[in-house]
Coordinates of all heavy atoms in Angstrom, one line a residue:
T973 N -3.4 -19.9 -2.0 CA -3.2 -20.3 -0.7 C -3.0 -19.2 0.3 O -2.4 -18.2 -0.1 CB -1.9 -21.3 -0.6 OG1 -2.2 -22.3 -1.5 CG2 -1.7 -21.8 0.8
T974 N -3.5 -19.3 1.5 CA -3.4 -18.3 2.5 C -2.0 -18.2 2.9 O -1.3 -19.1 3.3 CB -4.3 -18.7 3.7 OG1 -5.6 -19.0 3.3 CG2 -4.4 -17.5 4.7
K975 N -1.4 -17.0 2.8 CA 0.0 -16.7 3.2 C 0.0 -16.1 4.6 O 0.1 -14.9 4.8 CB 0.7 -15.8 2.2 CG 0.6 -16.3 0.8 CD 1.7 -17.2 0.5 CE 1.8 -17.5 -1.0 NZ 2.3 -18.7 -1.3
N976 N -0.2 -16.9 5.6 CA -0.2 -16.4 7.0 C 0.1 -17.6 8.0 O 0.3 -18.7 7.6 CB -1.6 -15.8 7.3 CG -2.7 -16.8 7.5 OD1 -2.7 -17.8 6.8 ND2 -3.6 -16.5 8.4
H977 N 0.1 -17.2 9.3 CA 0.2 -18.2 10.3 C -0.8 -17.8 11.4 O -1.2 -16.6 11.4 CB 1.6 -18.5 10.8 CG 2.2 -17.4 11.6 ND1 2.8 -16.3 11.0 CD2 2.2 -17.2 12.9 CE1 3.3 -15.5 12.0 NE2 2.9 -16.0 13.1
A978 N -1.1 -18.7 12.3 CA -2.1 -18.4 13.3 C -1.7 -19.0 14.6 O -1.0 -20.0 14.7 CB -3.5 -19.0 12.9
C979 N -2.3 -18.4 15.7 CA -2.1 -18.9 17.1 C -3.5 -19.0 17.7 O -4.3 -18.1 17.6 CB -1.3 -18.0 17.9 SG 0.4 -17.8 17.3
F980 N -3.8 -20.1 18.3 CA -5.1 -20.4 19.0 C -4.8 -20.8 20.4 O -4.0 -21.6 20.6 CB -5.9 -21.5 18.3 CG -6.2 -21.2 16.9 CD1 -5.3 -21.3 15.8 CD2 -7.5 -20.8 16.5 CE1 -5.6 -21.1 14.5 CE2 -7.9 -20.5 15.2 CZ -6.9 -20.6 14.2
Y981 N -5.5 -20.2 21.4 CA -5.4 -20.7 22.8 C -6.6 -20.4 23.6 O -7.3 -19.4 23.4 CB -4.1 -20.0 23.4 CG -4.0 -18.5 23.4 CD1 -4.5 -17.7 24.4 CD2 -3.5 -17.9 22.2 CE1 -4.4 -16.3 24.3 CE2 -3.4 -16.5 22.2 CZ -3.8 -15.7 23.2 OH -3.7 -14.4 23.1
A982 N -6.9 -21.4 24.5 CA -8.1 -21.3 25.3 C -7.8 -20.3 26.5 O -6.7 -20.3 27.0 CB -8.5 -22.7 25.8
V983 N -8.9 -19.6 26.8 CA -8.8 -18.7 28.0 C -9.9 -19.0 29.0 O -10.1 -18.3 30.0 CB -8.8 -17.2 27.6 CG1 -7.5 -16.8 26.8 CG2 -10.0 -16.9 26.8
G984 N -10.6 -20.1 28.8 CA -11.6 -20.5 29.7 C -12.3 -21.7 29.1 O -11.9 -22.2 28.0
D985 N -13.3 -22.3 29.8 CA -13.9 -23.5 29.3 C -14.7 -23.3 28.0 O -14.8 -24.2 27.2 CB -14.9 -24.0 30.4 CG -14.2 -24.6 31.6 OD1 -13.0 -24.9 31.5 OD2 -14.8 -24.6 32.7
S986 N -15.2 -22.1 27.8 CA -15.9 -21.8 26.5 C -15.5 -20.6 25.8 O -16.2 -19.9 25.1 CB -17.4 -21.7 26.9 OG -17.6 -20.6 27.7
E987 N -14.2 -20.2 26.0 CA -13.7 -19.0 25.3 C -12.3 -19.3 24.7 O -11.5 -20.0 25.3 CB -13.6 -17.9 26.3 CG -13.2 -16.6 25.7 CD -13.2 -15.4 26.7 OE1 -13.5 -15.6 27.9 OE2 -13.0 -14.3 26.3
Q988 N -12.1 -18.8 23.5 CA -10.9 -19.0 22.8 C -10.4 -17.7 22.2 O -11.2 -16.9 21.7 CB -11.0 -20.0 21.7 CG -9.8 -20.3 20.9 CD -10.0 -21.3 19.8 OE1 -11.0 -21.1 19.0 NE2 -9.2 -22.3 19.7
V989 N -9.1 -17.4 22.3 CA -8.5 -16.3 21.6 C -7.7 -16.9 20.4 O -7.1 -17.9 20.6 CB -7.6 -15.5 22.6 CG1 -6.8 -14.5 21.8 CG2 -8.4 -14.9 23.7
F990 N -7.9 -16.2 19.3 CA -7.1 -16.6 18.2 C -6.5 -15.4 17.5 O -7.1 -14.3 17.5 CB -7.8 -17.5 17.2 CG -9.1 -16.9 16.7 CD1 -9.1 -16.2 15.5 CD2 -10.3 -17.1 17.4 CE1 -10.3 -15.7 15.0 CE2 -11.5 -16.6 16.9 CZ -11.5 -15.9 15.7
Q991 N -5.3 -15.6 17.0 CA -4.6 -14.5 16.3 C -4.2 -15.0 14.9 O -3.6 -16.1 14.8 CB -3.4 -14.0 17.1 CG -3.8 -13.5 18.4 CD -2.5 -13.4 19.3 OE1 -1.5 -14.0 19.1 NE2 -2.7 -12.6 20.4
L992 N -4.5 -14.3 13.9 CA -4.0 -14.6 12.5 C -3.1 -13.5 12.1 O -3.3 -12.3 12.2 CB -5.2 -14.7 11.6 CG -6.3 -15.7 12.0 CD1 -7.6 -15.5 11.1 CD2 -5.8 -17.1 11.9
Y993 N -2.0 -14.0 11.5 CA -0.9 -13.1 11.1 C -0.7 -13.1 9.6 O -0.6 -14.2 9.0 CB 0.4 -13.5 11.8 CG 0.4 -13.4 13.3 CD1 0.0 -14.5 14.0 CD2 0.8 -12.2 13.9 CE1 0.0 -14.4 15.4 CE2 0.8 -12.1 15.3 CZ 0.4 -13.2 16.0 OH 0.3 -13.2 17.4
Y994 N -0.8 -11.9 9.0 CA -0.6 -11.8 7.5 C 0.5 -10.8 7.2 O 0.6 -9.8 7.9 CB -1.9 -11.2 6.9 CG -3.1 -12.2 6.9 CD1 -3.9 -12.3 8.0 CD2 -3.3 -13.0 5.8 CE1 -5.0 -13.2 8.0 CE2 -4.3 -13.9 5.8 CZ -5.2 -14.0 6.9 OH -6.2 -14.9 6.9
P995 N 1.2 -11.1 6.2 CA 2.2 -10.1 5.8 C 1.5 -8.9 5.1 O 0.5 -9.1 4.4 CB 3.1 -10.8 4.8 CG 2.3 -11.9 4.3 CD 1.3 -12.3 5.4
V996 N 2.0 -7.7 5.3 CA 1.4 -6.5 4.6 C 2.5 -5.7 4.0 O 3.6 -5.6 4.6 CB 0.6 -5.6 5.6 CG1 -0.7 -6.3 6.1 CG2 1.4 -5.2 6.8
P997 N 2.3 -5.1 2.8 CA 3.3 -4.4 2.2 C 3.7 -3.0 2.8 O 4.8 -2.6 2.7 CB 2.8 -4.2 0.7 CG 1.3 -4.3 0.9 CD 1.1 -5.2 2.0
T998 N 2.7 -2.4 3.4 CA 2.9 -1.1 4.0 C 2.0 -1.0 5.3 O 1.1 -1.7 5.4 CB 2.5 0.1 3.1 OG1 1.1 0.0 2.7 CG2 3.3 0.1 1.8
M999 N 2.3 0.0 6.1 CA 1.5 0.2 7.3 C 0.5 1.3 7.0 O 0.8 2.4 6.6 CB 2.5 0.6 8.4 CG 1.8 0.8 9.7 SD 1.1 -0.8 10.3 CE 0.5 -0.3 11.8
D1000 N -0.8 0.9 7.3 CA -1.9 1.9 7.1 C -2.5 2.0 8.5 O -3.3 1.2 8.9 CB -2.9 1.3 6.1 CG -4.1 2.2 5.9 OD1 -4.2 3.3 6.5 OD2 -5.0 1.8 5.2
D1001 N -2.2 3.1 9.2 CA -2.7 3.4 10.5 C -4.2 3.4 10.6 O -4.7 3.1 11.7 CB -2.1 4.7 11.1 CG -0.6 4.7 11.3 OD1 -0.1 3.6 11.4 OD2 0.0 5.8 11.3
E1002 N -4.9 3.7 9.6 CA -6.3 3.8 9.6 C -7.0 2.4 9.5 O -8.2 2.3 9.8 CB -6.8 4.6 8.4 CG -6.3 6.1 8.4 CD -6.8 6.8 9.7 OE1 -8.0 6.7 10.1 OE2 -6.0 7.5 10.3
A1003 N -6.2 1.4 9.2 CA -6.8 0.0 9.0 C -6.8 -0.8 10.3 O -7.3 -1.9 10.3 CB -6.0 -0.7 7.9
W1004 N -6.3 -0.2 11.4 CA -6.1 -1.0 12.6 C -7.0 -0.5 13.7 O -7.2 0.7 13.8 CB -4.7 -1.0 13.0 CG -3.7 -1.3 11.9 CD1 -2.9 -0.5 11.3 CD2 -3.6 -2.6 11.2 NE1 -2.2 -1.1 10.3 CE2 -2.7 -2.4 10.2 CE3 -4.2 -3.8 11.4 CZ2 -2.3 -3.4 9.3 CZ3 -3.8 -4.8 10.5 CH2 -2.9 -4.6 9.5
G1005 N -7.5 -1.4 14.6 CA -8.2 -1.0 15.7 C -9.4 -2.0 15.9 O -9.6 -3.0 15.3
T1006 N -10.2 -1.6 16.9 CA -11.4 -2.4 17.2 C -12.5 -2.2 16.2 O -12.8 -1.1 15.8 CB -12.0 -2.0 18.6 OG1 -11.0 -2.1 19.6 CG2 -13.2 -2.8 19.0
L1007 N -13.0 -3.3 15.7 CA -14.0 -3.3 14.7 C -15.4 -3.2 15.3 O -15.6 -3.8 16.4 CB -13.9 -4.5 13.7 CG -12.6 -4.6 13.0 CD1 -12.7 -5.9 12.1 CD2 -12.3 -3.4 12.2
S1008 N -16.4 -2.6 14.7 CA -17.7 -2.6 15.2 C -18.3 -4.0 15.1 O -17.7 -4.9 14.4 CB -18.6 -1.7 14.4 OG -18.8 -2.2 13.1
A1009 N -19.4 -4.3 15.7 CA -19.9 -5.7 15.7 C -20.2 -6.1 14.2 O -19.9 -7.2 13.8 CB -21.2 -5.8 16.5
E1010 N -20.8 -5.1 13.4 CA -21.1 -5.4 12.0 C -19.8 -5.6 11.2 O -19.7 -6.5 10.4 CB -21.9 -4.2 11.5 CG -22.3 -4.4 10.0 CD -23.2 -3.3 9.5 OE1 -24.1 -2.8 10.2 OE2 -22.9 -2.8 8.4
E1011 N -18.8 -4.7 11.4 CA -17.6 -4.8 10.7 C -16.9 -6.1 11.0 O -16.3 -6.8 10.1 CB -16.6 -3.7 11.0 CG -17.0 -2.3 10.5 CD -16.1 -1.2 11.1 OE1 -15.7 -1.3 12.2 OE2 -15.8 -0.3 10.3
G1012 N -16.8 -6.5 12.3 CA -16.2 -7.7 12.7 C -16.8 -8.9 12.2 O -16.2 -9.9 11.7
S1013 N -18.2 -9.0 12.2 CA -18.9 -10.1 11.6 C -18.6 -10.3 10.1 O -18.4 -11.4 9.7 CB -20.4 -9.9 11.9 OG -21.1 -11.0 11.3
K1014 N -18.7 -9.2 9.4 CA -18.4 -9.2 8.0 C -17.0 -9.7 7.7 O -16.7 -10.5 6.9 CB -18.6 -7.8 7.3 CG -18.4 -7.8 5.8 CD -18.8 -6.4 5.3 CE -18.7 -6.2 3.8 NZ -17.4 -6.3 3.3
Y1015 N -16.0 -9.1 8.4 CA -14.6 -9.4 8.2 C -14.3 -10.9 8.5 O -13.7 -11.6 7.7 CB -13.8 -8.5 9.1 CG -12.3 -8.7 9.0 CD1 -11.6 -8.1 7.9 CD2 -11.6 -9.4 9.9 CE1 -10.2 -8.3 7.8 CE2 -10.2 -9.6 9.8 CZ -9.5 -9.0 8.7 OH -8.2 -9.1 8.6
C1016 N -14.9 -11.4 9.6 CA -14.7 -12.8 10.0 C -15.3 -13.7 9.0 O -14.8 -14.8 8.7 CB -15.2 -13.0 11.4 SG -14.1 -12.3 12.7
S1017 N -16.5 -13.4 8.6 CA -17.2 -14.3 7.6 C -16.4 -14.4 6.3 O -16.3 -15.5 5.7 CB -18.6 -13.7 7.3 OG -19.4 -13.9 8.4
E1018 N -15.9 -13.2 5.8 CA -15.1 -13.2 4.6 C -13.8 -14.0 4.8 O -13.4 -14.8 3.9 CB -14.8 -11.8 4.1 CG -16.0 -11.1 3.6 CD -15.8 -9.6 3.4 OE1 -14.6 -9.1 3.7 OE2 -16.7 -8.9 3.0
L1019 N -13.2 -13.8 5.9 CA -11.9 -14.5 6.2 C -12.2 -16.0 6.4 O -11.4 -16.9 5.8 CB -11.3 -14.0 7.5 CG -10.0 -14.6 8.0 CD1 -8.9 -14.6 6.9 CD2 -9.5 -14.0 9.2
A1020 N -13.3 -16.4 7.0 CA -13.6 -17.8 7.2 C -13.8 -18.5 5.8 O -13.3 -19.6 5.6 CB -14.9 -18.0 8.0
Q1021 N -14.5 -17.8 4.9 CA -14.7 -18.4 3.6 C -13.3 -18.5 2.8 O -13.1 -19.5 2.2 CB -15.6 -17.5 2.7 CG -16.0 -18.1 1.4 CD -16.7 -19.5 1.6 OE1 -17.6 -19.6 2.4 NE2 -16.1 -20.5 0.9
Q1022 N -12.5 -17.5 2.9 CA -11.2 -17.6 2.3 C -10.4 -18.8 2.8 O -9.8 -19.5 2.1 CB -10.4 -16.3 2.5 CG -9.0 -16.3 2.0 CD -8.2 -15.1 2.3 OE1 -8.7 -14.1 2.9 NE2 -6.9 -15.1 2.1
L1023 N -10.4 -19.0 4.2 CA -9.6 -20.1 4.8 C -10.2 -21.4 4.4 O -9.5 -22.4 4.1 CB -9.6 -19.9 6.3 CG -8.9 -18.7 6.8 CD1 -9.0 -18.6 8.3 CD2 -7.4 -18.6 6.4
R1024 N -11.5 -21.5 4.3 CA -12.2 -22.8 3.8 C -11.7 -23.1 2.4 O -11.4 -24.2 2.0 CB -13.7 -22.7 3.9 CG -14.2 -22.8 5.3 CD -15.7 -22.8 5.3 NE -16.2 -23.0 6.7 CZ -16.7 -22.0 7.4 NH1 -16.9 -20.8 6.9 NH2 -17.1 -22.2 8.7
N1025 N -11.8 -22.0 1.6 CA -11.4 -22.2 0.2 C -9.9 -22.7 0.0 O -9.6 -23.4 -0.9 CB -11.5 -20.9 -0.6 CG -13.0 -20.5 -0.8 OD1 -13.9 -21.3 -0.6 ND2 -13.2 -19.3 -1.2
D1026 N -9.1 -22.3 1.0 CA -7.7 -22.6 1.0 C -7.4 -24.0 1.7 O -6.3 -24.4 1.8 CB -6.8 -21.5 1.7 CG -6.7 -20.3 0.8 OD1 -7.0 -20.3 -0.4 OD2 -6.3 -19.3 1.4
G1027 N -8.5 -24.6 2.2 CA -8.4 -26.0 2.7 C -8.1 -26.1 4.2 O -7.7 -27.1 4.7
W1028 N -8.3 -25.0 4.9 CA -8.1 -25.0 6.4 C -9.1 -26.0 7.0 O -10.2 -26.1 6.6 CB -8.3 -23.6 7.0 CG -7.1 -22.7 6.8 CD1 -6.4 -22.4 5.7 CD2 -6.4 -22.0 7.9 NE1 -5.4 -21.6 5.9 CE2 -5.4 -21.3 7.2 CE3 -6.6 -21.9 9.2 CZ2 -4.5 -20.4 8.0 CZ3 -5.8 -21.0 9.9 CH2 -4.7 -20.3 9.3
D1029 N -8.6 -26.7 8.1 CA -9.5 -27.6 8.8 C -10.6 -26.8 9.5 O -10.4 -25.7 10.0 CB -8.7 -28.4 9.8 CG -9.5 -29.5 10.5 OD1 -10.5 -29.2 11.2 OD2 -9.2 -30.6 10.2
E1030 N -11.8 -27.3 9.5 CA -13.0 -26.6 10.0 C -12.8 -26.2 11.5 O -13.3 -25.2 12.0 CB -14.2 -27.4 9.9 CG -15.5 -26.7 10.1 CD -15.8 -25.5 9.2 OE1 -15.2 -25.4 8.1 OE2 -16.6 -24.6 9.6
K1031 N -12.0 -27.0 12.3 CA -11.8 -26.7 13.7 C -11.1 -25.4 13.9 O -11.2 -24.8 14.9 CB -11.1 -27.8 14.4 CG -9.7 -28.0 14.0 CD -9.1 -29.2 14.8 CE -7.7 -29.5 14.2 NZ -7.2 -30.8 14.7
F1032 N -10.3 -24.9 12.9 CA -9.7 -23.7 13.0 C -10.5 -22.5 12.4 O -10.3 -21.4 12.8 CB -8.3 -23.7 12.3 CG -7.4 -24.7 12.9 CD1 -7.0 -25.8 12.2 CD2 -6.9 -24.5 14.1 CE1 -6.1 -26.7 12.7 CE2 -6.0 -25.4 14.7 CZ -5.6 -26.5 14.0
V1033 N -11.4 -22.8 11.5 CA -12.2 -21.8 10.9 C -13.5 -21.5 11.7 O -13.9 -20.3 11.8 CB -12.6 -22.3 9.5 CG1 -13.5 -21.2 8.8 CG2 -11.4 -22.5 8.6
L1034 N -14.0 -22.5 12.3 CA -15.3 -22.3 13.1 C -15.3 -21.2 14.1 O -16.3 -20.5 14.2 CB -15.7 -23.6 13.7 CG -17.1 -23.7 14.3 CD1 -18.2 -23.4 13.3 CD2 -17.3 -25.1 15.0
P1035 N -14.2 -21.0 14.9 CA -14.3 -19.8 15.8 C -14.6 -18.5 15.1 O -15.1 -17.6 15.8 CB -12.9 -19.8 16.4 CG -12.4 -21.3 16.3 CD -13.0 -21.7 15.0
L1036 N -14.2 -18.3 13.9 CA -14.4 -17.1 13.2 C -15.9 -16.8 13.1 O -16.4 -15.6 13.1 CB -13.8 -17.1 11.8 CG -12.3 -17.0 11.8 CD1 -11.8 -17.3 10.4 CD2 -11.9 -15.6 12.2
E1037 N -16.7 -17.9 13.0 CA -18.2 -17.7 12.8 C -18.8 -17.3 14.1 O -20.0 -16.9 14.1 CB -18.8 -19.0 12.4 CG -18.3 -19.5 11.1 CD -18.7 -18.7 9.8 OE1 -19.5 -17.8 10.0 OE2 -18.1 -19.0 8.8
H1038 N -18.1 -17.3 15.3 CA -18.7 -17.0 16.6 C -17.9 -15.9 17.3 O -18.1 -15.7 18.5 CB -18.7 -18.3 17.4 CG -19.5 -19.4 16.8 ND1 -20.8 -19.4 16.8 CD2 -19.0 -20.5 16.2 CE1 -21.2 -20.5 16.1 NE2 -20.1 -21.2 15.8
A1039 N -17.1 -15.2 16.6 CA -16.3 -14.1 17.2 C -17.2 -13.0 17.8 O -18.2 -12.6 17.1 CB -15.4 -13.5 16.2
E1040 N -17.0 -12.6 19.0 CA -17.8 -11.6 19.6 C -17.1 -10.2 19.7 O -17.7 -9.2 19.8 CB -18.1 -12.0 21.0 CG -19.0 -13.2 21.1 CD -19.3 -13.7 22.5 OE1 -19.0 -13.0 23.4 OE2 -19.9 -14.8 22.6
A1041 N -15.8 -10.2 19.6 CA -15.0 -9.0 19.6 C -13.8 -9.2 18.7 O -13.1 -10.2 18.8 CB -14.5 -8.7 21.0
V1042 N -13.7 -8.3 17.7 CA -12.6 -8.4 16.7 C -11.8 -7.1 16.8 O -12.3 -6.0 16.7 CB -13.2 -8.5 15.3 CG1 -12.2 -8.6 14.3 CG2 -14.1 -9.8 15.3
I1043 N -10.5 -7.3 16.9 CA -9.5 -6.2 16.9 C -8.5 -6.5 15.9 O -7.9 -7.6 15.8 CB -8.8 -6.1 18.3 CG1 -9.9 -5.9 19.4 CG2 -7.8 -5.0 18.3 CD1 -9.3 -6.0 20.8
R1044 N -8.3 -5.6 15.0 CA -7.3 -5.7 13.9 C -6.1 -4.9 14.3 O -6.2 -3.7 14.5 CB -7.9 -5.3 12.6 CG -7.0 -5.6 11.4 CD -7.7 -5.4 10.1 NE -8.6 -4.3 10.1 CZ -9.7 -4.2 9.3 NH1 -10.0 -5.1 8.4 NH2 -10.5 -3.1 9.3
L1045 N -5.0 -5.6 14.4 CA -3.7 -4.9 14.8 C -2.7 -5.0 13.7 O -2.7 -5.9 12.9 CB -3.1 -5.6 16.1 CG -4.0 -5.6 17.3 CD1 -3.3 -6.5 18.4 CD2 -4.3 -4.2 17.8
G1046 N -1.8 -4.0 13.7 CA -0.8 -4.0 12.7 C 0.6 -4.1 13.4 O 0.9 -3.3 14.3
L1047 N 1.3 -5.1 13.0 CA 2.7 -5.3 13.3 C 3.5 -5.2 12.0 O 3.4 -6.1 11.2 CB 2.9 -6.6 14.1 CG 2.1 -6.8 15.3 CD1 2.3 -8.3 15.8 CD2 2.5 -5.9 16.4
F1048 N 4.3 -4.2 11.8 CA 4.9 -4.0 10.6 C 6.4 -4.0 10.7 O 6.9 -3.2 11.5 CB 4.4 -2.8 9.9 CG 5.0 -2.5 8.5 CD1 4.6 -3.3 7.5 CD2 5.8 -1.5 8.4 CE1 5.2 -3.0 6.2 CE2 6.4 -1.2 7.1 CZ 6.0 -2.0 6.0
A1049 N 7.1 -4.8 9.9 CA 8.6 -4.7 9.9 C 8.9 -4.6 8.4 O 8.7 -5.5 7.6 CB 9.2 -6.0 10.5
P1050 N 9.4 -3.4 8.0 CA 9.8 -3.2 6.6 C 10.9 -4.2 6.2 O 11.8 -4.5 6.9 CB 10.3 -1.8 6.6 CG 10.5 -1.4 7.9 CD 9.8 -2.3 8.9
N1051 N 10.8 -4.6 4.9 CA 11.8 -5.5 4.3 C 12.9 -4.6 3.7 O 12.7 -4.0 2.7 CB 11.2 -6.4 3.2 CG 10.2 -7.4 3.8 OD1 10.4 -7.8 4.9 ND2 9.2 -7.7 3.0
E1052 N 14.0 -4.4 4.5 CA 15.0 -3.6 4.0 C 16.3 -4.4 3.9 O 16.6 -5.3 4.5 CB 15.3 -2.4 4.9 CG 14.1 -1.5 4.9 CD 14.3 -0.3 5.8 OE1 15.5 0.2 5.9 OE2 13.4 0.2 6.4

C-alpha cells in the first residue's frame, strides 16, 4: 500500500495543482528539483501505475497522466 498523503486543488477552470507527500529515510539534495519533461513524464507514469495498483480512485491518478511541469521537493524531518 502507498504510504503517503496527497493534496489536490484547482487553480483555474482547467488547471490543477497536486502534491504527494512520501516519508523518506534520509535527505538526498541531488534528488530534488525541477524534472525535465522526459523525467517528469516517466516519474508520473510510474507513480500513476503504483497508485492504481494500490487501489487509488482514478480521479486522483488521472492528473498524473497530464502533468506538464513536475517539481520534486524534499521536506525532511529526522525521527529523533
Side-chain angles (χ1 to χ4, degrees):
T973 301
T974 310
K975 304 275 190 209
N976 72 326
H977 70 273
C979 297
F980 297 79
Y981 51 96
V983 292
D985 291 337
S986 62
E987 186 175 3
Q988 180 182 50
V989 172
F990 55 94
Q991 301 167 339
L992 302 170
Y993 298 87
Y994 290 88
V996 293
T998 61
M999 183 64 178
D1000 177 2
D1001 292 337
E1002 298 299 317
W1004 311 110
T1006 303
L1007 302 181
S1008 70
E1010 183 179 315
E1011 290 172 322
S1013 178
K1014 181 178 185 289
Y1015 184 78
C1016 287
S1017 292
E1018 290 170 356
L1019 180 56
Q1021 188 57 52
Q1022 177 186 349
L1023 297 176
R1024 284 185 180 104
N1025 291 344
D1026 287 345
W1028 281 52
D1029 189 291
E1030 191 63 21
K1031 69 182 172 192
F1032 296 115
V1033 178
L1034 190 58
L1036 289 167
E1037 302 291 351
H1038 303 285
E1040 295 178 10
V1042 179
I1043 302 170
R1044 191 168 35 206
L1045 300 174
L1047 302 173
F1048 182 70
N1051 293 328
E1052 292 183 33

